[in-house]
Amino acid sequence: MSDLKVLKLVRKPKGETPERVDAPKDKKSQPAPTRSGPQSLSQPIVKPAPEIPTRSPLKDKTIQAAPSPRPVPVSNSAAAAQPGRAAEPQPRQRPAPEVVGGDDPGLSPKEMLGMYRMMYLSRRLDDKEIQLKNQNKIFFQISGAGHEAILVAAGMALKPGYDWFYPYYRDRALCLQLGMTPLEQLLAAVGSESDPNSHGRQMPSHWGSKKLNIVSQSSPTGTQLLQAVGCAEAGYRFKLIKELKKRASNFQKDEVTYVSLGDGTSSEGEFWESLNTACNLKLPVLFLLEDNGYAISVPVEVQTPGGDVSRLIENFPNLYLQRCDGTDALESYGVMQRAAAYCRAGNGPAFVHAKVIRPYSHSLSDDERLYRPVEERTADAERDPVKRFGAVLIEEGVVTEDELQRIKDEIDREVNEATDQALASPQPSPETVKLHVFSPDVDPTSREFDTEEGAELSGNPGTMVDLINRCLHTEMGRNPRVIVFGEDIADCSREEFLDQVKGKGGVFKVTANLQRKFGSARVFNSPLAEANIVGRATGMATRGLKPVVEIQFFDYIWPAMHQIRNELAVLRWRSGGEWKAPVVMRVPVGGYLKGGAVYHSQSGVSTFTQIPGLRVIYPSNALDANGLLRTAIRCDDPVLFLEHKHLYRQAYNKSQYPPDDFMIPFGKARTVREGTDLSIITYGALVQRSLVAARQAEQQGINVEIVDLRSLQPYDWNAVEATVRKTNRVIVAHEDSLSWGYGAEIAARISNELFEYLDAPVRRVGALDTFVAYAPILEDAILPQVGDVVKAIEELRSY
């Protein structure tokens, strides 16, 4: 079908503006979801509000902005009682802009031609990559075909290097419009070392550009949404923290954070969590839903009740909601301009639901003919955005058919030349694979972080809770970029009650009085959603804040595992060192609680120590907790900081307070008891149990040495080697389950590298391979006790 025939099918009559309707109140009157054509797609949903005049690209028309919510009252007396404390970051009333979208957002003929060039370029790059994949010259291909119109429009409405971008893999046209070159995209396809997206470490179409503010994208669908919210929230908090206002060199007063997703991704829980926070804080996040009707082979009506995501979210407060035909370039441009202007004016987030097509299969690993009938695929092809816009330009007299063909020929030559350059570019050197797992600039294992020896202690002895709390206070006072949030960690979210209540400060009181001292802009509660906590923190850290977040119990860290393993830990490596997110996650862990049971007693540290890029720290006493947490906050890597709940208030591990610069480097173990007959290598709650067992064994004439690792990733191999060479017998003791636990790696390495120094096999002491029970007698049987350690000592000594 020719471009002009397509035009006659879809072009609106001249002089007619797109119809606008309020969201239907009568659900029965809503039209059923359809795939028949754009007539049912270009119905923006707008909540009733005062009219705001503006112009569409070609026609005058009026749009409506969503109303601002009623302001939440905040007690001025509470704020006055705490000088310098910022108001709690609740949604605030902001006046609607007088004009949304500028005085005249109309496109000139030159701009329309530029729009077409970018759309056609994006399509030709997809086609070229498909050709290269079929020739076995690249290894993967996933296209953005059918999405070009809405994406070029998005790029035109936003500012590269000014706004922030969290795209997904269909967003080729957006990245081109922002300034990424065809060569840069093809360098990713061939896996070149020069690929600016990932330097050959990620699949093609995983976008990233430091200069354009395109934050490195990953493969899991939906994980980018919470990070985008955190990115926008960083700008929000920079405005509230008075010490940072003059330091915000990479923050703009009216910046927008763009994030895109497909219709399938809207089924992810993190999609709803991101809307929750963006709307609650009125953050300038522009959500673009590129709805092509399929999540690989699953159609949208199977994914979504009613088959229409935007109908489900229309009651979110502060959300400016628009629907459009994403294959219509001019309509897309008008919608994206208004959505961006709404965010830029400080009114809150915007959500654009663009109906697009997927003329190619999901990827070259998929064959859509297996699940899509010919009729449906033909109907999509007739709505091809590149053909449609070309026909518009010809009909409007912007360009002739011959001139349009010359543009196509010029772009084809450009793509071919870029392809030749990309294929000739060098591949990454194998020696580079270990680069950027951790920070190349800040080494937390170095002497710079070692102020332990000779540190002068003072004051009355405090518990582990006390010394962690002191560290948080001093580090927040030292660095205004440190922010603390999590579930229940604030003293009181409703600031007007702060003077009337003692304050929560965490379920274990570790964060007590932080909010009172540093204000609600820096210390605040999160929703009950662990992925929300870690995802937002990752976005904030990308912008230069230093989030120290709390996961209330280790047992509930698993909803955040996607964010920890696939995003936080790998961000620096997958981007070739272009991006980083040095978040500290404080997590109460462990059993021995008498009543903790299955879901308040878990350990499982080996799950995290095997994640490259993640530091894992586990102190056994108050002083170590203070020094190691300070190192965690000042280092440049993501850190999982495990705090054993049973050790929080034990008298035997108390300490006086160290100086404010007291630090213990990662990877430095401590010998807590000297011995000659055998060694116990341990950490956490097993340190004290091993000490008690060693004193009992001493009555039998067995002299036991005990090494507290303190840091599990990295760990102090030199200390391990020294104690094995010294005693020639070794036990590895930990609270984790015995099988596949952390101790297995230590034992295996000792057997492999120090076998000649061993007089007996390496022994391990750990929990039973089951869960922790509620009844105390069962818990005692499951977790390793002093008696278990004593038995291992006796058997190993007599071997």
Side-chain angles (χ1 to χ4, degrees):
M1 183 175 290
S2 71
D3 290 356
L4 289 176
K5 287 183 179 179
V6 172
L7 172 67
K8 290 176 182 178
L9 289 173
V10 301
R11 183 72 173 157
K12 297 180 180 70
K14 208 165 188 178
E16 182 181 353
T17 58
E19 181 184 0
R20 302 188 56 75
V21 295
D22 291 338
K25 301 299 181 184
D26 182 5
K27 300 300 181 183
K28 294 181 181 179
S29 67
Q30 295 184 30
T34 177
R35 301 282 297 165
S36 61
Q39 290 84 354
S40 63
L41 306 182
S42 55
Q43 303 288 337
I45 302 172
V46 184
K47 302 170 190 176
E51 291 188 351
I52 300 172
T54 186
R55 293 173 60 86
S56 74
L58 298 179
K59 311 293 180 187
D60 290 333
K61 65 178 178 179
T62 299
I63 70 166
Q64 294 176 326
S68 298
R70 183 177 302 168
V72 179
V74 178
S75 170
N76 291 328
S77 60
Q82 300 292 330
R85 177 154 48 83
E88 183 178 358
Q90 296 186 7
R92 297 180 298 168
Q93 177 80 12
R94 293 186 179 96
E98 293 184 2
V99 177
V100 177
D103 294 331
D104 185 3
L107 290 170
S108 67
K110 181 178 179 181
E111 289 171 323
M112 285 191 282
L113 281 176
M115 195 174 189
Y116 178 83
R117 286 182 60 89
M118 208 58 70
M119 292 168 60
Y120 183 77
L121 174 61
S122 180
R123 181 65 62 87
R124 294 303 292 144
L125 283 168
D126 271 327
D127 293 340
K128 177 56 69 174
E129 287 186 357
I130 291 170
Q131 180 188 45
L132 293 173
K133 175 66 171 65
N134 290 334
Q135 295 171 344
N136 292 320
K137 292 180 178 179
I138 67 172
F139 321 107
F140 180 78
Q141 206 282 330
I142 191 165
S143 82
H147 296 228
E148 295 94 346
I150 187 65
L151 290 170
V152 171
M156 295 171 69
L158 298 168
K159 304 176 185 179
Y162 185 100
D163 296 322
W164 289 79
F165 301 91
Y166 285 81
Y168 90 122
Y169 47 79
R170 303 280 186 213
D171 284 20
R172 178 188 301 281
L174 169 79
C175 295
L176 289 169
Q177 180 63 41
L178 293 176
M180 192 175 290
T181 68
L183 175 59
E184 288 174 328
Q185 295 198 350
L186 288 164
L187 288 171
V190 303
S192 171
E193 192 281 330
S194 301
D195 159 34
N197 297 275
S198 74
H199 301 279
R201 297 185 172 195
Q202 292 216 87
M203 288 176 167
S205 299
H206 286 54
W207 315 111
S209 171
K210 192 74 172 179
K211 66 181 179 181
L212 301 175
N213 286 352
I214 302 173
V215 181
S216 173
Q217 176 211 327
S218 65
S219 291
T221 58
T223 50
Q224 74 276 16
L225 291 156
L226 286 169
Q227 294 170 51
V229 169
C231 174
E233 187 175 356
Y236 167 73
R237 297 198 179 277
F238 256 83
K239 295 174 184 177
L240 295 177
I241 302 170
K242 62 180 183 179
E243 299 93 336
L244 294 180
K245 288 181 178 179
K246 295 182 179 179
R247 306 185 189 186
S249 59
N250 66 331
F251 289 81
Q252 312 297 333
K253 290 183 179 180
D254 65 344
E255 67 186 26
V256 175
T257 300
Y258 163 98
V259 63
S260 59
L261 66 152
D263 49 286
T265 297
S266 66
S267 300
E268 296 278 1
E270 292 183 25
F271 166 69
W272 299 93
E273 291 180 25
S274 66
L275 281 174
N276 180 17
T277 297
C279 292
N280 199 31
L281 297 179
K282 296 180 70 175
L283 298 175
V285 181
L286 200 169
F287 296 87
L288 174 58
L289 173 61
E290 302 167 41
D291 182 357
N292 61 33
Y294 277 93
I296 306 184
S297 68
V298 182
V300 67
E301 70 272 14
V302 176
Q303 295 271 349
T304 304
D308 191 336
V309 176
S310 54
R311 296 292 179 188
L312 302 182
I313 66 171
E314 61 188 22
N315 289 323
F316 271 79
N318 308 317
L319 184 65
Y320 181 63
L321 183 56
Q322 294 266 284
R323 289 165 61 91
C324 73
D325 177 5
T327 67
D328 184 323
L330 298 180
E331 182 182 326
S332 296
Y333 176 78
V335 167
M336 292 306 301
Q337 286 280 32
R338 296 194 294 274
Y342 179 86
C343 294
R344 230 178 269 291
N347 294 317
F351 189 96
V352 175
H353 184 171
K355 287 294 186 76
V356 295
I357 62 168
R358 198 186 78 189
Y360 302 161
S361 295
H362 168 74
S363 72
L364 287 194
S365 302
D366 172 51
D367 183 355
E368 66 175 14
R369 294 173 298 179
L370 299 174
Y371 51 87
R372 296 188 70 185
V374 173
E375 295 81 1
E376 186 177 89
R377 293 164 52 220
T378 301
D380 267 9
E382 291 174 351
R383 295 179 52 227
D384 188 300
V386 180
K387 291 182 178 180
R388 290 183 70 188
F389 194 42
V392 169
L393 296 178
I394 293 171
E395 184 184 76
E396 294 288 339
V398 175
V399 69
T400 67
E401 290 193 44
D402 288 342
E403 289 169 338
L404 197 65
Q405 187 60 49
R406 284 197 291 272
I407 291 173
K408 294 179 180 180
D409 293 341
E410 179 186 335
I411 290 172
D412 289 345
R413 286 193 297 272
E414 181 183 357
V415 170
N416 288 332
E417 290 172 3
T419 301
D420 292 340
Q421 293 180 58
L423 290 171
S425 65
Q427 292 285 293
S429 169
E431 288 74 26
T432 65
V433 293
K434 292 185 179 180
L435 295 179
H436 307 298
V437 174
F438 295 108
S439 172
D441 305 314
V442 180
D443 181 5
T445 70
S446 67
R447 293 179 60 86
E448 178 185 352
F449 287 87
D450 194 349
T451 63
E452 182 177 22
E453 190 171 348
E456 295 184 5
L457 309 181
S458 62
N460 295 324
T463 64
M464 183 182 285
V465 167
D466 296 329
L467 267 72
I468 292 174
N469 182 268
R470 170 68 70 87
C471 178
L472 291 171
H473 270 86
T474 59
E475 289 304 295
M476 291 192 75
R478 172 182 174 271
N479 183 0
R481 293 178 181 264
V482 176
I483 60 172
V484 174
F485 67 99
E487 298 165 15
D488 300 297
I489 64 90
D491 293 306
C492 184
S493 283
R494 293 173 175 166
E495 275 201 331
E496 62 268 32
F497 301 141
L498 266 175
D499 294 336
Q500 305 173 36
V501 297
K502 184 176 180 181
K504 181 71 174 175
V507 294
F508 297 103
K509 307 297 293 181
V510 178
T511 55
N513 295 316
L514 289 176
Q515 180 196 7
R516 292 182 190 274
K517 183 171 182 179
F518 298 104
S520 299
R522 296 182 63 193
V523 183
F524 50 93
N525 285 328
S526 73
L528 201 160
E530 287 75 17
N532 179 285
I533 295 170
V534 178
R536 287 163 64 192
T538 302
M540 293 181 199
T542 301
R543 297 295 302 279
L545 291 177
K546 185 70 181 190
V548 181
V549 301
E550 178 179 307
I551 303 296
Q552 196 166 88
F553 290 92
F554 182 90
D555 315 68
Y556 306 128
I557 199 171
W558 310 113
M561 196 62 178
H562 222 3
Q563 289 290 340
I564 295 170
R565 172 60 180 83
N566 286 326
E567 300 296 333
L568 179 63
V570 75
L571 178 61
R572 188 196 305 271
W573 188 87
R574 77 175 187 225
S575 66
E578 300 287 345
W579 298 98
K580 63 180 181 179
V583 174
V584 178
M585 297 171 288
R586 293 184 39 257
V587 187
V589 68
Y592 302 109
L593 294 178
K594 303 302 181 191
V598 181
Y599 299 109
H600 294 82
S601 306
Q602 293 181 37
S603 291
V605 299
S606 59
T607 302
F608 295 89
T609 52
Q610 63 179 286
I611 298 176
L614 183 66
R615 308 284 191 181
V616 181
I617 309 302
Y618 204 146
S620 67
N621 59 76
L623 185 62
D624 287 355
N626 180 282
L628 288 166
L629 180 58
R630 185 169 287 105
T631 299
I633 294 173
R634 296 189 188 184
C635 91
D636 199 35
D637 296 311
V639 179
L640 181 67
F641 193 85
L642 299 171
E643 303 165 4
H644 202 292
K645 301 184 295 290
H646 176 71
L647 302 179
Y648 266 152
R649 289 182 170 84
Q650 295 295 336
Y652 57 73
N653 68 8
K654 284 185 173 182
S655 171
Q656 291 181 290
Y657 291 87
D660 289 351
D661 64 347
F662 178 72
M663 289 182 287
I664 299 172
F666 294 167
K668 180 185 177 185
R670 183 171 70 96
T671 301
V672 298
R673 189 180 196 274
E674 297 283 351
T676 56
D677 294 332
L678 61 85
S679 303
I680 299 177
I681 298 167
T682 187
Y683 60 87
L686 263 294
V687 173
Q688 178 64 19
R689 281 161 174 71
S690 296
L691 283 169
V692 174
R695 287 194 288 268
Q696 293 183 14
E698 193 169 26
Q699 297 174 5
Q700 304 176 42
I702 306 173
N703 193 352
V704 177
E705 180 159 294
I706 299 174
V707 176
D708 179 3
L709 289 175
R710 304 195 291 191
S711 170
L712 305 185
Q713 169 58 292
Y715 65 91
D716 191 344
W717 175 249
N718 291 334
V720 171
E721 183 177 16
T723 194
V724 171
R725 288 178 180 236
K726 179 180 179 181
T727 68
N728 310 119
R729 287 176 168 83
V730 62
I731 297 170
V732 183
H734 56 64
E735 190 176 337
D736 279 1
S737 298
L738 186 67
S739 298
W740 301 286
Y742 182 80
E745 168 63 22
I746 304 295
R749 188 172 178 187
I750 291 172
S751 298
N752 184 55
E753 299 184 28
L754 301 172
F755 182 78
E756 64 269 30
Y757 297 101
L758 293 174
D759 291 339
V762 178
R763 289 292 302 267
R764 289 179 293 143
V765 174
L768 300 182
D769 294 343
T770 183
F771 307 99
V772 179
Y774 173 75
I777 192 169
L778 296 179
E779 181 187 55
D780 288 347
I782 293 164
L783 296 179
Q785 305 297 328
V786 171
D788 299 314
V789 182
V790 170
K791 181 181 179 183
I793 291 172
E794 292 172 346
E795 292 177 351
L796 187 63
R797 184 67 179 86
S798 62
Y799 179 85

